[in-house]
């Protein structure tokens, strides 16, 4: 999101103070703040018995009745105080100040003013950066992590260190490998991003009493929509107009948000900074009121990125006056402004007749309803579910074990020559550990981070198993001058070499996109020189959010193995060692395409088209449409075991029932509308047998891809479903996929409508292919 919007020079002084507050915490993450010992909450009838007479404090009433009662008691100025993230207090009604802005991208974070660490809770479990968790392709893991994060968040809320509203996850599509924030996302595939988003949201929000109306914490899916450029060659997100076809919007950029709302029942969606087809997303009534609230029926609030309303007025000059900007945002469907803009300009907008008070009532009602669902208006939290959680529930052994397990499941083995990995901890007497990321701590947790419980660096993880000799080789990842001779010396005398290279937040982050895909500075030189003098296995470990062009290492026989480890979280070093020494059999798969450098030399980051254009030589984007060479492909990843697939059951023919008078009964159609009456009960099962033919237990992800008939510029293939199975050596498992024809096999046509293509479809699992026909 836009916490670090705060990197631009804002035009309002209040926003500047937000910036300074943010900078202070982001630059001083270990600052100890004096902890409040108790949480903030409204309706404290014990301290103030008169509050019991208010209906909004009456827990036996429905949320709607309580919200109506509360809103009618407020003055216009008081209502406006509830349109901003640092919400005002109304002491006469027993409502304290509330800070909406907390973050929990991969653990409770200190980014945003709503959350702090102190001597009461000095750190929280820091899971791998999202891109690596996504590489596990394990939907139950996504939810399990969300559940741990929300438990730690509630524990911190109970001691006054956190809020209840967390602006996570980031589910934007990782469309371009240069994007600095790709690390925060689940990758380039709409289905994976949808499953990640809805799974993580359920983990954050669902309560143990299964009351769907109430929330454990409130999640927020961001940044809506077609947002995936931060700052590239002079184009930044505050001024970028994403020109997107209806087709690409429907089948690439919107699915994760749709799933977040419909499948995850998320409490919030955040609109982005950029414009989409000439309109700022936070001022677009079609995108906000029309789609999120209208079509998808969001049960919650819509929040701006920080401070998107200020951005579309001051930077994009979308309106002539600030009052118009405030009115446009509220009328489009925005409920809450991260920042101060609506707090400053809404009253004048009402006085000028640009927006009326009922529109303000609607916005604050959505905000209050969310706080009601969180129990904020139910009095003392210690008397509620989760009221007994506290510091003892943060950084538990189980939570930290899950952080290690998540990293192990995500790590991707991209190359492994026979006799290389796993290394034997007994045969290796001296392991050379080289590289600027070999002994890092903070690099491992990426951005939107919190203070972790503790760190295990790659060097510490490896040293726990064998004797190591360490040489950084470069003073930092920029690697301006590599210490090649020192590195060669330790490599030449070692039994094996592990090179831990890649990127960090100085290379890719919010507000910083990359301009190339090569390893920074002299990293390639260092790797090649070290490999030349090594006598044993040489393992290259890439720590990064985005893909790298490591073609030189892929084709160099002296570099025997390549591992991609993302930004692996607090236990990253332990997880890397677990995989290298074979304590854990790798099973991660790439959630994004790794392109060659030649791709970014040709393709501007600002071109939003996902589909290729043969007339201009534009090669398209993501595995679904990209037609060029790759370094590694979406879904690539090796194991120490081999797995075989066998198709047990799948149809040869799928008939779509149509009404008697349907036009496609009498004339030839290439596709039919994926509409409710056609789609009901139109599904089939695919049964697969999978065998681990290796010598050790391992996990394996089965990807079910579909290639539709080539109509409507359809994808060359797209992911229908995936399932992760764990099998002992030489054992067989069964996997069943349920394929919903309209949901899984439909394509988007040129106007953004869903269609089921008629004709031959091909299902693929690994090298296995199965053709079937869809007809009327």
């Amino acid at each position: 999101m836009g916490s670090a919007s705060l990197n631009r020079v804002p035009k309002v002084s209040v926003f500047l103070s937000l910036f300074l507050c943010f900078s202070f915490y982001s630059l001083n993450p270990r600052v100890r703040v004096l902890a409040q010992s108790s949480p903030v909450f409204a309706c404290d009838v014990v301290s103030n018995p008169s509050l019991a007479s208010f209906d909004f404090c009456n827990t036996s009433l429905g949320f709607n009745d309580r919200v109506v009662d509360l809103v009618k008691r407020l003055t216009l100025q008081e209502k406006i105080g509830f349109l901003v993230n640092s919400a005002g207090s109304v002491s006469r009604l027993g409502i304290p100040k509330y800070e909406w802005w907390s973050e929990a991208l991969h653990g409770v974070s200190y980014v945003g003013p709503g959350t702090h660490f102190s001597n009461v809770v000095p750190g929280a479990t820091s899971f791998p950066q999202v891109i690596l968790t996504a590489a596990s392709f394990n939907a139950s893991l996504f939810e399990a992590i969300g559940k741990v994060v929300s438990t730690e968040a509630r524990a911190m809320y109970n001691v006054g260190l956190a809020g209840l509203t967390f602006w996570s996850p980031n589910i934007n599509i990782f469309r371009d490998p240069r994007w600095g924030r790709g690390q925060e996302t689940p990758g380039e595939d709409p289905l994976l991003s949808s499953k990640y988003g809805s799974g993580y949201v359920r983990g954050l929000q669902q309560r143990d009493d299964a009351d769907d109306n109430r929330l454990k914490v409130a999640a927020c899916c961001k940044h809506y929509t077609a947002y995936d450029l931060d700052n590239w060659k002079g184009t930044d997100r505050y001024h970028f107009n994403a020109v997107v076809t209806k087709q690409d919007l429907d089948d690439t950029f919107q699915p994760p948000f749709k799933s977040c709302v419909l499948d995850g029942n998320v409490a919030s969606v955040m609109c982005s900074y950029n414009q989409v087809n000439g309109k700022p997303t936070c001022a677009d009534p079609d995108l906000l009121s029309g789609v999120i609230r209208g079509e998808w029926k969001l049960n919650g609030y819509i929040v701006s990125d920080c401070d998107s309303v200020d951005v579309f007025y001051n930077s994009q000059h979308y309106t002539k006056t600030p009052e118009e900007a405030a009115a446009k945002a509220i009328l489009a469907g925005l409920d809450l402004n991260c920042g101060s803009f609506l707090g400053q300009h809404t009253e004048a907008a009402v006085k000028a007749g640009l927006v009326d008070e009922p529109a303000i009532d609607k916005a604050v009602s959505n905000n209050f309803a969310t706080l009601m669902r969180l129990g904020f208006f139910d009095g003392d939290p210690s008397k509620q579910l989760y009221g007994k959680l506290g510091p003892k529930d943060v950084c538990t052994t189980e939570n930290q074990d899950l952080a290690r397990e998540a990293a192990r499941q995500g790590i991707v083995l991209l190359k492994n020559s026979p006799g290389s990995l796993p290394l034997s901890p007994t045969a290796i007497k001296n392991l050379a550990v080289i590289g600027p990321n070999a002994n890092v701590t903070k690099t491992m947790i990426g951005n939107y981070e919190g203070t972790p419980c503790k760190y295990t660096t790659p060097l510490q993880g490896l040293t726990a198993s064998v004797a190591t000799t360490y040489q950084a080789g470069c003073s930092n990842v920029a690697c301006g001058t590599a210490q090649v001779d020192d590195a060669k010396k330790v490599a030449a005398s070692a039994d094996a070499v592990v090179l831990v290279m890649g990127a960090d937040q100085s290379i890719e982050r919010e507000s910083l996109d990359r301009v190339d895909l090569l390893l920074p500075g002299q990293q390639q030189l260092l790797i090649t020189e070290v490999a030349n003098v090594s006598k044993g296995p040489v393992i290259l470990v890439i720590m990064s959010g985005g893909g790298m062009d490591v073609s030189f290492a892929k084709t160099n026989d002296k570099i025997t193995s390549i591992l991609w480890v993302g930004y692996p979280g607090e236990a990253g070093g332990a997880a890397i060692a677990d995989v290298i020494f074979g304590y854990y059999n790798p099973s991660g798969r790439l959630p994004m395409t790794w392109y060659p450098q030649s791709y970014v030399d040709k393709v501007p980051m600002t071109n939003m088209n996902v589909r290729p254009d043969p007339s201009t030589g534009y090669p398209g984007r993501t595995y679904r449409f990209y037609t060029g060479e790759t370094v590694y492909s979406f879904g690539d990843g090796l194991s120490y075991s081999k797995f075989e697939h066998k198709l047990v059951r799948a149809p040869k023919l799928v008939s779509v029932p149509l009404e008697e008078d349907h036009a496609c009964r009498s004339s030839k159609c290439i596709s039919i509308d994926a509409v409710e009456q056609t789609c009901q009960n139109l599904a089939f099962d695919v049964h697969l047998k999978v065998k681990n033919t290796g010598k050790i237990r391992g996990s394996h992800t089965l990807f079910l891809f579909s290639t539709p008939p080539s109509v409507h510029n359809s994808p060359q293939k797209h992911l229908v479903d995936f399932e992760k199975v764990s099998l002992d050596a030489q054992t067989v498992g069964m996997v069943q996929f349920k394929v919903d024809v309209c949901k899984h096999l439909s394509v988007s046509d040129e106007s953004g409508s869903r269609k089921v293509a008629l004709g031959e479809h091909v299902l693929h699992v690994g090298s296995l292919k199965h053709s079937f026909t869809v007809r009327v």
Side-chain angles (χ1 to χ4, degrees):
M1 97 153 212
S3 51
S5 54
L6 309 175
N7 287 341
R8 71 197 180 94
V9 181
K11 299 215 168 94
V12 285
S13 59
V14 182
F15 197 32
L16 186 60
S17 63
L18 240 181
F19 167 64
L20 294 171
C21 159
F22 167 80
S23 301
F24 179 66
Y25 285 111
S26 62
L27 297 173
N28 302 279
R30 286 178 182 71
V31 165
R32 296 280 179 252
V33 295
L34 292 171
Q36 237 176 283
S37 56
S38 58
V40 273
F41 61 95
C43 298
D44 185 356
V45 293
V46 176
S47 304
N48 184 354
S50 68
L51 298 176
S53 65
F54 296 135
D55 276 359
F56 70 83
C57 290
N58 182 348
T59 55
S60 67
L61 295 175
F63 294 138
N64 195 39
D65 293 337
R66 295 172 70 187
V67 169
V68 168
D69 178 70
L70 171 55
V71 173
K72 73 167 192 243
R73 294 176 188 276
L74 298 171
T75 66
L76 176 62
Q77 287 82 0
E78 285 168 343
K79 290 171 189 172
I80 289 167
F82 293 106
L83 292 174
V84 291
N85 64 287
S86 294
S89 60
V90 183
S91 50
R92 67 187 174 85
L93 298 177
I95 303 170
K97 280 184 174 300
Y98 177 73
E99 176 53 66
W100 286 80
W101 179 3
S102 293
E103 302 274 356
L105 183 69
H106 51 103
V108 180
S109 167
Y110 47 59
V111 175
T115 307
H116 308 285
F117 292 98
S118 74
N119 51 0
V120 179
V121 180
T125 309
S126 191
F127 289 91
Q129 184 58 294
V130 176
I131 193 76
L132 190 74
T133 296
S136 72
F137 283 90
N138 182 349
S140 61
L141 178 67
F142 308 156
E143 198 163 326
I145 292 173
K147 194 168 182 181
V148 166
V149 174
S150 59
T151 296
E152 295 196 346
R154 269 281 175 181
M156 288 176 68
Y157 167 74
N158 288 343
V159 290
L161 289 172
L164 293 168
T165 46
F166 288 84
W167 292 345
S168 308
N170 178 346
I171 53 165
N172 293 117
I173 294 293
F174 195 175
R175 170 190 63 99
D176 188 291
R178 292 161 286 196
W179 188 30
R181 303 190 71 176
Q183 56 177 301
E184 302 173 29
T185 75
E188 70 181 36
D189 179 68
L191 179 91
L192 171 60
S193 299
S194 297
K195 283 202 168 193
Y196 178 85
S198 58
Y200 189 65
V201 164
R202 281 193 296 272
L204 287 175
Q205 293 192 164
Q206 281 184 351
R207 288 165 45 113
D208 295 296
D209 61 2
D211 184 343
D212 282 345
N213 252 336
R214 292 181 171 269
L215 298 163
K216 188 177 176 190
V217 303
C220 172
C221 288
K222 64 189 191 186
H223 315 79
Y224 180 82
T225 183
Y227 170 84
D228 51 18
L229 177 148
D230 265 59
N231 194 344
W232 178 78
K233 292 190 176 181
T235 302
D236 72 35
R237 55 188 175 164
Y238 310 115
H239 302 87
F240 182 54
N241 175 26
V243 178
V244 189
T245 66
K246 286 190 168 126
Q247 189 170 29
D248 286 345
L249 197 63
D250 178 79
D251 76 357
T252 295
F253 300 109
Q254 294 290 69
F257 291 99
K258 184 177 184 178
S259 177
C260 228
V261 177
L262 294 178
D263 305 326
N265 193 21
V266 76
S268 176
V269 174
M270 177 184 287
C271 51
S272 54
Y273 291 116
N274 57 293
Q275 297 188 357
V276 173
N277 299 327
K279 280 188 186 171
T281 61
C282 294
D284 189 337
D286 296 331
L287 283 175
L288 305 189
S289 299
V291 176
I292 300 177
R293 209 166 280 290
E295 285 176 37
W296 302 341
K297 309 278 186 283
L298 172 75
N299 178 16
Y301 69 100
I302 298 173
V303 62
S304 76
D305 206 336
C306 309
D307 181 343
S308 300
V309 190
D310 178 66
V311 167
F312 78 66
Y313 169 63
N314 270 317
S315 302
Q316 298 173 3
H317 309 297
Y318 187 67
T319 62
K320 287 197 168 60
T321 66
E323 295 79 19
E324 273 179 78
K328 266 198 188 303
I330 292 164
L331 293 171
L334 189 72
D335 303 308
L336 188 75
N337 167 210
C338 175
S340 54
F341 197 91
L342 290 187
Q344 292 171 325
H345 301 293
T346 302
E347 190 174 355
V350 174
K351 284 188 175 144
L354 298 169
V355 62
D356 60 11
E357 198 165 342
I360 315 291
D361 292 351
K362 202 163 148 189
V364 295
S365 296
N366 290 327
N367 301 340
F368 287 139
T370 305
L371 290 175
M372 296 258 177
R373 294 173 68 203
L374 287 160
F376 186 80
F377 286 92
D378 292 355
D380 186 355
S382 68
K383 309 276 195 299
Q384 300 175 37
L385 184 66
Y386 304 119
K388 301 289 178 276
L389 292 173
K392 69 180 188 316
D393 301 295
V394 182
C395 287
T396 64
T397 306
E398 296 78 15
N399 294 359
Q400 294 193 64
D401 286 348
L402 185 64
R404 181 171 178 168
E405 177 61 21
R408 294 156 82 161
Q409 287 199 28
I411 289 171
V412 183
L413 178 62
L414 290 167
K415 176 183 178 178
N416 197 25
S417 309
S420 182
L421 291 179
L423 299 181
S424 158
T426 48
I428 302 285
K429 302 297 178 222
N430 178 15
L431 180 68
V433 183
I434 297 167
N437 280 335
N439 200 28
V440 292
T441 51
K442 199 160 184 281
T443 299
M444 294 196 300
I445 56 178
N447 68 357
Y448 282 81
E449 75 284 12
T451 304
C453 313
K454 61 171 196 240
Y455 285 111
T456 305
T457 74
L459 179 62
Q460 288 169 334
L462 295 163
T463 305
S465 281
V466 295
T468 57
T469 311
Y470 165 60
Q471 185 60 246
C474 306
S475 57
N476 53 38
V477 293
C479 200
T481 311
Q483 287 80 56
V484 174
D485 293 342
D486 296 343
K488 282 164 72 172
K489 207 171 290 173
V490 300
S493 57
D495 299 324
V497 177
V498 175
L499 286 143
V500 193
M501 313 299 285
D504 65 12
Q505 302 303 304
S506 71
I507 304 292
E508 50 178 4
R509 66 167 190 276
E510 183 168 13
S511 299
L512 180 68
D513 297 322
R514 289 189 283 158
V515 289
D516 67 47
L517 303 181
L518 303 172
L519 288 171
Q522 294 192 344
Q523 285 193 33
Q524 180 171 332
L525 171 76
L526 178 67
I527 295 162
T528 307
E529 292 282 321
V530 163
N532 283 343
V533 299
S534 302
K535 57 179 194 276
V538 176
I539 295 102
L540 174 59
V541 176
I542 306 285
M543 202 179 280
S544 70
M548 296 283 187
D549 184 347
V550 289
S551 311
F552 77 95
K554 184 181 179 181
T555 55
N556 183 343
D557 293 341
K558 294 282 285 179
I559 298 165
T560 52
S561 304
I562 302 175
L563 286 166
W564 174 68
V565 301
Y567 293 118
E570 64 167 46
I576 290 166
D578 289 340
V579 169
I580 284 175
F581 290 112
Y583 309 133
Y584 188 86
N585 189 350
S587 61
R589 311 288 279 270
L590 286 184
M592 74 298 205
T593 303
W594 283 30
Y595 299 88
Q597 174 61 25
S598 57
Y599 175 77
V600 298
D601 292 338
K602 291 196 294 265
V603 176
M605 202 174 161
T606 47
N607 187 332
M608 294 294 293
N609 291 328
V610 181
R611 287 164 165 78
D613 182 352
S615 71
T616 61
Y618 179 69
R621 296 178 180 277
T622 80
Y623 79 92
R624 292 160 65 233
F625 297 100
Y626 174 58
T627 50
E629 295 292 311
T630 61
V631 179
Y632 288 108
S633 301
F634 175 88
D636 277 358
L638 305 168
S639 165
Y640 298 149
S641 302
K642 286 269 188 288
F643 294 87
E644 287 176 357
H645 312 119
K646 191 173 176 201
L647 186 66
V648 177
R649 178 178 158 194
K652 291 298 281 177
L653 176 68
V654 173
S655 293
V656 182
L658 296 178
E659 316 80 87
E660 291 298 327
D661 56 349
H662 197 289
C664 292
R665 278 181 171 275
S666 52
S667 59
K668 197 165 165 53
C669 294
I670 56 168
S671 65
I672 48 170
D673 293 328
V675 289
E676 211 168 315
Q677 59 268 37
T678 311
C679 294
Q680 274 170 342
N681 307 320
L682 196 56
F684 60 84
D685 291 336
V686 175
H687 293 218
L688 291 152
K689 198 181 275 187
V690 56
K691 182 178 184 182
N692 178 352
T693 61
K695 297 191 173 111
I696 54 171
R697 179 177 177 78
S699 293
H700 178 64
T701 298
L702 286 107
F703 294 110
L704 181 65
F705 288 106
S706 161
T707 296
S710 51
V711 297
H712 305 305
N713 263 327
S714 58
Q716 39 202 4
K717 66 173 184 176
H718 66 261
L719 190 57
V720 168
D721 208 349
F722 58 86
E723 192 66 49
K724 192 158 195 170
V725 291
S726 287
L727 293 170
D728 285 327
Q730 300 298 318
T731 61
V732 174
M734 291 293 289
V735 173
Q736 181 179 333
F737 290 111
K738 189 161 199 69
V739 180
D740 178 317
V741 173
C742 289
K743 189 176 175 188
H744 296 131
L745 299 182
S746 63
V747 296
S748 183
D749 73 5
E750 293 75 1
S751 65
S753 304
R754 303 302 294 180
K755 303 278 189 184
V756 176
L758 300 174
E760 188 185 53
H761 292 244
V762 182
L763 295 175
H764 334 210
V765 178
S767 57
L768 201 143
K769 290 189 174 175
H770 171 77
S771 298
F772 66 100
T773 304
V774 176
R775 70 170 194 215
V776 296

